[in-house]
Amino acid sequence: MSSERTMSFSSNGTAVSVRGLNKSFTIAHQAKKHSTLTEAILDRVRHPFRRDERETFHALKDLSFDVKQGEVVGIIGRNGAGKSTLLKILSRITGPTSGEIDLYGRVGSLLEVGTGFHPELTGRENIFLNGAILGMSRAEIRKQFDAIVDFSGVEKFLDTPVKRYSSGMYVRLAFAVAAHLESEIMVVDEVLAVGDAEFQRKCMGKIKDVATGGRTVLFVSHNLASVTSLCSSCLVLKEGALAFVGAAAEGAQFYTDSAARWAREDRRDLRLCRASWAAPLIQSARVLGADETEQACLPAGTPLTIEMTFETPVDQPLRQPVMGAVFHRSGFGTVCGVNTRMTGFDDATGSQTAGTMRCTLRRPPFLPGHYTVDLWLGDGPGDSDVLYGYLSFELEDADVYDTGRAPFRDMGVIFLDPEWDFQSRSSGTLPPEKKPQTSSRQSHHLPILP
Amino acid sequence: MTTTSIPPAIAEPFTKIRPHSGWAALNLPEAWKFRDLLFALAARDLKLRYKQTALGVVWVIAQPLMAAAIFSFVFGKVARLSSDGVPYLLFSFAGLLGWNLFSATVTKCSGCLVGNSQLISKVFFPRLILPLSTIPSVLVDFAVAAAMMALLMAIHGVAPGWGILLMPVWMAVLLMLALGIGLGAAALAVPYRDVQYIVPVFMQILLYASPIAYAISAVPEHLRSVYLCNPLSAPLEAFRASLLHTAWPGWESLAVAAGFSAVVFLAGLYAFKRMERQFADVI
């Protein structure tokens, strides 16, 4: 198994040692969950001898790994794989259920910016408060104060309550405090890199400084590109267990290869996604990439196919099968919907009792992010079967314009293919033109990559 | 499962994370390391109190002064209770001074975890810092109100005796009891939010069940032994006696109350530490 490999050691000495780490949560069943003391007491009085039925959820299962000093470790995994729980245990926000962790150095955790910021307090007051909350002593904050203010660029507003800050200023100040935490071991969640594209670049640059400055960093990311560019090694988590330990590039490859398989393995029950009135006609559905294989993760702007198969009782054929797909982007809402009637398509006319229908988008204009798809199967003007949110896929950053510059990830949901036009109206003689730099591909970067 | 072989570590780990168990979790040296946070949080509470309030510090004096005036009217003028020979306003203000120290600590402590849930789920620090950080601001309020008390005493020409030197002792007894209750309530409030509604009701009842607006001597003789079961009775009465030469409660009842407060304090601390490990998961 790939996980038998050891991590690449950049220097001697262990920074983090994890042995047999388990974390489980007890979930009381919904009907017996008490949120008020009165309820809990009354229930105890009514049923003095009943034991609550509880279910144990294992968030982390028997993790063991070591991180060497100075190593930058990426932690990747799908939502719910246990990444955040691992970070919370390493930063001691919550305790393990069993297992041992030894940390050889002070741990600083950057899981969220602006924790403990108070809107009524001024920027200056918040720097001291937030610094203390993150574990800095007053002396340390004083020492770093100028650097923090400088990095945030809000020196003019230091004595203004932060509630009057723009959201950008707020985030910049918050990140600045967090970024100046000096500890031997840093635990970082990538969602930390926030704000506008320019500041994100600055954030990622700072994270990179931290990473290359000899400190040990554990870095949770959802972006494989930043893992491969920042990290020396990586851990892949799957349902709370370690699925891979090794070099960053191999880990990213392992994750890409496995993601579609995992998505298939734990694909949700068709019935759960089906609208209550719908007939169970859709038998299966999947997302295919450019190479016609099933994918959970695709580069933005590359061909994407939604495929579904249906089957009807022999005596109730669909007289005119219609396929529809509605795309939703997580955190943004519905993006767009298409169906064969609307866009015009008549290859599937005539009565059908079974078939496979496909919808291919040659260049889907969706920005990188997580998407879910609702599937519709209709019979002429009527709806027959619907699956809400049954399919999902992840679009990754990609050089969609072939310019080395990616579209702004969080500016809306789609990217456009504009045609620009320029007609010069300058007159007279102009100063000699500077030779434009054409072959500087290296200096162009995707906005969120350092 | 993965087991990576590593050379044995040379240095002792800086931090060891193990599953918690009982008292082992009461890590006082660690809490000391975070003392700067305690003061930063206390400073936050104080600053917030005086920001965007028109009267600010005036409230700290006005609230007990108005309560004392009402008590003087109801108990002194209407019910005509004895105040051991001191002006009734002074008498009830002294009672409220001790009471507010107690009740403010209980109230602030019991709400401190739920009120800072954002911090608990996102950052590590010894959770004990949160309830402890409420004490400095309670003490500042106490100092302001005590200055008012001194002014009132000067106006009425009442001088404290040597008993005033024992004031810190009664304050310590009251604070221990308050912290014990506050810590327990704070921990319980994490899974059970209605604790926040029970505490004010409980405090309201306790306000009238304790010798604040009246003296223990006003309680009928045959009920007095029951009355002294209230652990607040003896220290509050002693607190007032230290300032105003009013009647002292018996030494035995004081000793019992002090012992009881210590037990409540330790029990509250234990309950808090026992439940601490769940805070981040449940809150």
Side-chain angles (χ1 to χ4, degrees):
Chain A
M1 201 180 140
S2 54
S3 58
E4 287 304 318
R5 264 172 282 180
T6 53
M7 290 192 168
S8 56
F9 301 147
S10 55
S11 71
N12 42 4
T14 308
V16 180
S17 154
V18 176
R19 287 288 168 274
L21 175 65
N22 280 290
K23 174 73 179 177
S24 51
F25 296 96
T26 322
I27 315 160
H29 276 284
Q30 202 60 44
K32 284 147 206 139
K33 210 170 121 190
H34 311 296
S35 59
T36 72
L37 189 59
T38 336
E39 248 178 71
I41 293 170
L42 279 179
D43 198 59
R44 186 49 59 194
V45 171
R46 286 197 202 109
H47 311 281
F49 304 112
R50 191 182 64 197
R51 280 185 65 94
D52 279 353
E53 271 176 53
R54 284 168 186 277
E55 194 184 308
T56 310
F57 168 70
H58 298 281
L60 292 177
K61 298 168 197 158
D62 198 25
L63 298 193
S64 297
F65 61 88
D66 291 290
V67 179
K68 297 276 134 191
Q69 260 156 31
E71 201 168 17
V72 181
V73 184
I75 300 172
I76 47 187
R78 300 193 305 152
N79 285 341
K83 299 181 303 258
S84 321
T85 308
L86 179 59
L87 285 201
K88 281 191 171 184
I89 291 175
L90 287 173
S91 52
R92 303 173 66 200
I93 292 164
T94 181
T97 306
S98 68
E100 298 186 349
I101 299 172
D102 289 338
L103 301 166
Y104 296 82
R106 198 165 73 138
V107 176
S109 62
L110 305 182
L111 304 190
E112 194 183 83
V113 292
T115 314
F117 257 52
H118 200 288
E120 295 286 346
L121 297 179
T122 66
R124 186 189 304 277
E125 287 165 339
N126 268 311
I127 290 177
F128 280 96
L129 176 63
N130 191 232
I133 286 170
L134 293 175
M136 293 193 230
S137 70
R138 229 186 134 69
E140 276 175 275
I141 305 169
R142 258 199 222 101
K143 203 181 87 195
Q144 297 272 15
F145 190 83
D146 292 336
I148 292 172
V149 173
D150 204 43
F151 188 85
S152 68
V154 299
E155 55 269 65
K156 268 191 250 166
F157 306 96
L158 265 188
D159 294 304
T160 309
V162 296
K163 65 178 174 184
R164 309 220 187 285
Y165 281 28
S166 71
S167 57
M169 283 160 67
Y170 185 96
V171 161
R172 285 208 301 275
L173 183 63
F175 183 86
V177 180
H180 288 81
L181 179 60
E182 283 187 330
S183 57
E184 292 83 6
I185 304 168
M186 294 292 284
V187 175
V188 185
D189 196 327
E190 192 198 25
V191 293
L192 203 71
V194 280
D196 55 46
E198 193 217 341
F199 191 71
Q200 276 187 15
R201 213 166 20 232
K202 209 168 157 188
C203 291
M204 290 304 288
K206 186 74 191 175
I207 292 176
K208 196 173 186 180
D209 284 352
V210 168
T212 51
R215 286 197 264 172
T216 310
V217 182
L218 288 120
F219 179 64
V220 160
S221 177
H222 307 273
N223 189 339
L224 293 180
S226 36
V227 169
T228 44
S229 71
L230 277 182
C231 303
S232 48
S233 52
C234 90
L235 306 174
V236 179
L237 287 178
K238 190 210 169 194
E239 288 160 20
L242 269 185
F244 177 92
V245 182
E250 287 170 47
Q253 189 58 46
F254 173 81
Y255 180 73
T256 318
D257 295 346
S258 320
R261 185 162 42 85
W262 293 345
R264 206 161 45 235
E265 275 168 18
D266 67 3
R267 173 154 297 163
R268 283 165 298 166
D269 195 335
L270 276 167
R271 282 170 302 176
L272 297 179
C273 300
R274 185 160 273 136
S276 59
W277 48 265
L281 303 182
I282 301 176
Q283 304 298 315
S284 68
R286 47 191 196 142
V287 179
L288 305 176
D291 55 355
E292 301 276 309
T293 61
E294 185 164 3
Q295 296 292 340
C297 229
L298 309 109
T302 58
L304 171 83
T305 300
I306 306 292
E307 183 190 86
M308 73 173 188
T309 59
F310 68 87
E311 215 178 302
T312 69
V314 188
D315 53 333
Q316 293 163 12
L318 296 178
R319 286 174 309 254
Q320 196 192 340
V322 174
M323 176 188 184
V326 181
F327 297 86
H328 308 273
R329 179 171 175 195
S330 304
F332 285 84
T334 306
V335 180
C336 193
V338 287
N339 69 47
T340 49
R341 267 158 51 86
M342 175 172 78
T343 60
F345 172 73
D346 33 49
D347 268 13
T349 47
S351 291
Q352 301 285 346
T353 55
T356 300
M357 293 183 87
R358 293 173 135 205
C359 165
T360 298
L361 305 173
R362 285 282 152 230
R363 183 174 158 85
F366 303 146
L367 286 175
H370 185 257
Y371 290 83
T372 57
V373 186
D374 299 342
L375 287 173
W376 290 74
L377 178 66
D379 188 7
D383 299 326
S384 302
D385 193 5
V386 185
L387 298 177
Y388 288 117
Y390 179 63
L391 293 177
S392 65
F393 57 89
E394 191 85 31
L395 291 183
E396 293 194 309
D397 287 305
D399 190 3
V400 296
Y401 295 126
D402 207 17
T403 59
R405 291 170 183 271
F408 299 117
R409 191 183 172 105
D410 287 317
M411 198 171 283
V413 289
I414 58 161
F415 62 87
L416 302 171
D417 283 317
E419 278 176 23
W420 306 99
D421 182 52
F422 176 74
Q423 288 176 354
S424 176
R425 297 180 58 195
S426 327
S427 56
T429 48
L430 293 167
E433 261 181 62
K434 261 194 187 166
K435 202 183 173 196
Q437 291 186 309
T438 46
S439 59
S440 57
R441 260 297 157 81
Q442 254 76 5
S443 67
H444 293 298
H445 288 294
L446 303 179
I448 65 155
L449 300 178
Chain B
M1 206 47 258
T2 312
T3 39
T4 46
S5 58
I6 50 140
I10 305 143
E12 266 293 291
F14 185 85
T15 312
K16 292 181 178 193
I17 302 177
R18 302 285 182 271
H20 303 252
S21 63
W23 283 109
L26 185 60
N27 190 344
L28 289 179
E30 176 130 63
W32 175 247
K33 271 191 235 160
F34 277 81
R35 62 190 181 280
D36 279 346
L37 175 61
L38 192 152
F39 293 117
L41 289 172
R44 174 190 72 175
D45 289 349
L46 276 173
K47 279 177 193 153
L48 289 177
R49 178 111 45 86
Y50 299 115
K51 273 195 183 178
Q52 289 214 333
T53 52
L55 295 176
V57 73
V58 175
W59 284 117
V60 180
I61 303 166
Q63 186 268 331
L65 204 57
M66 285 192 295
I70 290 166
F71 284 162
S72 312
F73 176 73
V74 174
F75 292 92
K77 293 280 185 285
V78 178
R80 295 186 179 282
L81 294 182
S82 150
S83 59
D84 292 349
V86 277
Y88 216 101
L89 185 69
L90 272 189
F91 180 84
S92 50
F93 195 86
L96 281 164
L97 196 58
W99 164 256
N100 281 343
L101 181 69
F102 171 82
S103 79
T105 308
V106 172
T107 312
K108 287 189 175 175
C109 257
S110 62
C112 71
L113 292 182
V114 173
N116 289 294
S117 55
Q118 186 65 12
L119 290 189
I120 290 176
S121 56
K122 296 292 179 196
V123 207
F124 166 77
F125 53 86
R127 306 309 185 202
L128 201 54
I129 293 288
L130 282 175
L132 292 184
S133 75
T134 61
I135 294 178
S137 73
V138 170
L139 286 179
V140 168
D141 285 359
F142 178 82
V144 173
M148 187 64 203
M149 181 76 211
L151 187 68
L152 283 178
M153 283 167 72
I155 291 170
H156 286 91
V158 180
W162 287 107
I164 200 168
L165 295 178
L166 285 173
M167 276 260 287
V169 178
W170 318 133
M171 285 171 64
V173 172
L174 288 171
L175 275 177
M176 265 202 310
L177 185 63
L179 271 176
I181 298 171
L183 287 170
L188 263 185
V190 171
Y192 303 117
R193 292 298 150 89
D194 52 354
V195 168
Q196 288 166 287
Y197 309 117
I198 296 170
V199 168
V201 177
F202 172 74
M203 297 309 282
Q204 193 72 30
I205 294 168
L206 212 50
L207 171 64
Y208 288 99
S210 310
I212 294 152
Y214 53 87
I216 295 186
S217 57
V219 177
E221 198 83 46
H222 64 283
L223 290 175
R224 210 166 290 170
S225 55
V226 180
Y227 189 81
L228 281 170
C229 287
N230 176 356
L232 275 175
S233 301
L236 279 177
E237 194 79 346
F239 183 89
R240 180 154 50 203
S242 297
L243 278 172
L244 299 172
H245 311 290
T246 51
W248 284 86
W251 288 108
E252 318 80 50
S253 51
L254 271 173
V256 170
F260 182 79
S261 300
V263 170
V264 169
F265 174 68
L266 291 176
L269 200 56
Y270 183 70
F272 188 86
K273 292 311 274 188
R274 270 304 297 265
M275 297 182 79
E276 182 180 48
R277 65 186 124 152
Q278 308 173 7
F279 290 162
D281 297 340
V282 179
I283 209 156

